């Protein structure tokens, strides 16, 4: 099956419009969006969202029957490459995390009633959501160790547990909570997902956890990572998403496309840092010449261009595999781009910051913020080590030990076999005097 690299002209026009729109409307807004606060940001984004809707680019990650465009992962990837240049651009396009992933969960596993109550208002931008799975006491790389429990009590489920890094949890209208419903089941059949309105009794938002990316204290801001205690939280039986024990299966459907979107957004960030590095090299003099004339800087630019191109092609290929063969077939490709893309993101930003020196280290440039953001990429949606392990195991499954543990390329053995096979030719050669 061939892979077509072309982008049809109509969609390329949409991409061109998006690129200009994000630079003209979103980039200026990003410099003050924290000053605006959550309500101010909503008000500023609203007219931009309407322009996106008028253009037919709203919530493109979902199929048409759910209000999206059904564009597939390749087109979505190309869009996210543009949206990734700004942390608030996805808000204007109705596909900001975690709402985009949660809408996919609801579309996949939600009942008609759940879709009416939660999905459609979420798509319209009238509600916000959070995905509440990560726990402070258990390793996020091994979700089979989750401790949060949900116990059936008549026509209700009772949830008890402690979560953190529930992104946007402090401003969400509802949370999708992963909890163990059958601790004696097989590891990946123990947990289930539940829709929990944030104002349900027993849901306590403790704080938004300060991070390397957002090191200041806050509560209730967009992009915060909430720490939440669930204590005796009662939800009706119909709050269950899908069947009991299907939490991990549903999560994987969410994480596959999400990882592709992450990697394409990282390329957008990397490209912006790359442009800053190249611009700096054209005017900054040091030790008698422009930085652009220094071999080290030239090497950084060339290496960055090559690495970004490699990451881009790898990511679009993973998206193509998912579009044409399904998520399972793309598992290795997605793991590859996850750790490779995170490394490229970090390296490009690091070089750009180095070229800028103290200016890049200061908050007068966005590079220091990008650098802090990039560090988290190595463990978002699974740490690098787990993805490397996945790739290696899948590759090694295609190999087996050679007979007698003699390497297949062992030259003395191959030579002896060749002599036997071509003995009639070797015997016809004249002897060396």
């Amino acid at each position: 099956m061939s892979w077509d690299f072309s982008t049809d002209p109509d969609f390329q026009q949409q991409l061109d419009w998006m690129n200009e729109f994000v630079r003209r409307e979103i980039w200026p807004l990003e410099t003050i969006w924290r000053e605006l606060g959550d309500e101010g940001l909503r008000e500023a984004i609203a007219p931009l969202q309407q322009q996106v809707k008028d253009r037919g680019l709203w919530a493109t990650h979902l199929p048409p029957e759910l209000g999206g465009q059904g564009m597939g992962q390749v087109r979505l990837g190309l869009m996210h490459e543009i949206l990734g240049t700004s942390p608030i651009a996805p808000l204007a396009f109705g596909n900001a995390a975690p709402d985009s992933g949660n809408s996919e969960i609801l579309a996949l596993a939600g009942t008609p009633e759940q879709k009416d109550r939660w999905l459609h208002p979420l798509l319209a931008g009238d509600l916000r959501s959070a995905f509440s799975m990560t726990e402070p006491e258990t390793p996020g790389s091994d979700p089979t160790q989750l401790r949060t429990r949900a116990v059936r009590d008549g026509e209700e489920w009772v949830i008890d547990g402690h979560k953190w890094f529930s992104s946007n949890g402090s401003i969400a209208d509802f949370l999708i909570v992963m909890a163990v419903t059958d601790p004696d089941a097989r590891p990946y059949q123990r947990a289930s997902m539940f829709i929990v309105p944030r104002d349900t009794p027993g849901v306590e938002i403790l704080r938004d956890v300060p991070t390397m990316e957002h090191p200041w204290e806050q509560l209730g801001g967009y992009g915060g990572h909430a720490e939440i205690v669930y204590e005796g939280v009662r939800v009706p039986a119909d709050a269950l998403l899908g069947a009991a024990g299907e939490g991990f299966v549903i999560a994987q459907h969410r994480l596959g496309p999400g990882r592709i979107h992450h990697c394409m957004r990282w390329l957008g960030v990397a490209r912006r840092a790359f442009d800053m590095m190249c611009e700096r090299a054209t005017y900054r003099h040091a030790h008698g010449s422009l930085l652009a004339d220094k071999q080290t800087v030239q090497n950084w630019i060339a290496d960055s261009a090559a690495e970004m191109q490699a990451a881009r092609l790898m990511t679009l290929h993973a998206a193509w595999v998912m579009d044409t063969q399904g998520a399972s077939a793309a598992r290795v490709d997605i793991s590859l781009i996850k750790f490779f893309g995170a490394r490229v993101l970090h390296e490009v930003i690091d070089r750009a910051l180095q070229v800028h020196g103290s200016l890049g280290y200061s908050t007068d440039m966005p590079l220091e913020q990008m650098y802090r953001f990039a560090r988290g990429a190595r463990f978002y949606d699974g740490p690098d080590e787990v993805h490397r392990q996945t790739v290696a195991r899948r590759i090694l499954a295609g190999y087996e030990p050679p007979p007698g543990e003699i390497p297949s390329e062992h030259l003395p053995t191959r030579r002896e076999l060749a002599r036997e096979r071509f003995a009639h030719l070797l015997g016809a050669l004249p002897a060396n005097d």
Side-chain angles (χ1 to χ4, degrees), residues 226-284:
E227 181 175 3
I228 308 172
V229 169
Y230 299 89
E231 186 172 356
V233 176
R234 289 183 173 270
V235 293
D238 61 8
L240 179 67
L241 268 167
E246 288 186 345
F248 290 111
V249 173
I250 297 171
Q252 285 305 310
H253 282 281
R254 176 188 190 272
L255 290 172
R259 285 166 177 155
I260 290 176
H261 303 165
H262 270 317
C263 291
M264 290 304 290
R265 285 194 291 267
W266 294 342
L267 284 167
V269 177
R271 181 70 205 198
R272 196 168 172 182
F274 178 80
D275 289 341
M276 283 185 266
M277 174 168 60
C278 293
E279 180 185 74
R280 178 73 164 177
T282 64
Y283 68 86
R284 187 68 167 181

Side-chain angles (χ1 to χ4, degrees), residues 39-54:
E39 289 304 316
L41 179 60
R42 284 176 183 255
E43 185 175 342
I45 285 285
L48 305 183
Q49 292 174 330
Q50 189 57 53
Q51 290 186 55
V52 170
K53 291 175 181 178
D54 293 342

Side-chain angles (χ1 to χ4, degrees), residues 22 38 53 138 180 189 211 352 421:
V22 168
D38 188 51
K53 291 175 181 178
T138 62
V180 174
Q189 295 174 348
T211 66
R421 181 177 177 181

Side-chain angles (χ1 to χ4, degrees), residues 258-425:
R259 285 166 177 155
I260 290 176
H261 303 165
H262 270 317
C263 291
M264 290 304 290
R265 285 194 291 267
W266 294 342
L267 284 167
V269 177
R271 181 70 205 198
R272 196 168 172 182
F274 178 80
D275 289 341
M276 283 185 266
M277 174 168 60
C278 293
E279 180 185 74
R280 178 73 164 177
T282 64
Y283 68 86
R284 187 68 167 181
H285 283 80
H287 301 285
S289 65
L290 287 170
L291 292 181
D293 297 327
K294 310 293 186 185
Q295 187 176 35
T296 294
V297 175
Q298 293 171 349
N299 288 342
W300 287 346
I301 291 171
D303 289 347
S304 297
E307 290 163 2
M308 288 190 300
Q309 180 76 335
R312 187 174 193 268
L313 293 175
M314 288 170 63
T315 306
L316 290 175
H317 180 263
W320 173 79
V321 172
M322 181 172 285
D323 281 344
T324 56
Q325 301 173 46
S328 296
R331 185 177 178 185
V332 169
D333 298 275
I334 291 172
S335 287
L336 277 171
I337 64 172
K338 178 62 175 60
F339 72 79
F340 185 78
R343 187 179 71 189
V344 170
L345 171 68
H346 182 274
E347 290 298 314
V348 173
I349 295 172
D350 185 69
R351 293 167 185 147
L353 201 156
Q354 192 75 5
V355 166
H356 282 78
S358 56
L359 176 62
Y361 192 65
S362 77
T363 59
D364 285 359
M365 294 291 288
L367 288 167
E368 60 83 27
Q369 181 182 355
M370 292 178 176
Y371 191 83
R372 288 184 281 112
F373 162 80
R375 186 58 185 87
R378 291 186 54 200
F379 51 79
Y380 291 153
D381 288 349
D384 287 359
E385 294 78 10
V386 170
H387 288 287
R388 284 189 171 95
Q389 184 182 61
T390 296
V391 170
R393 283 178 172 175
R394 288 295 184 97
I395 291 174
L396 288 171
Y399 292 82
E400 58 184 19
E405 297 188 357
I406 298 174
S408 300
E409 295 291 342
H410 187 244
L411 285 175
T413 302
R414 291 180 59 206
R415 187 178 296 113
E416 186 62 29
L417 291 173
R419 283 172 175 162
E420 293 176 6
R421 181 177 177 181
F422 297 104
H424 63 290
L425 297 176

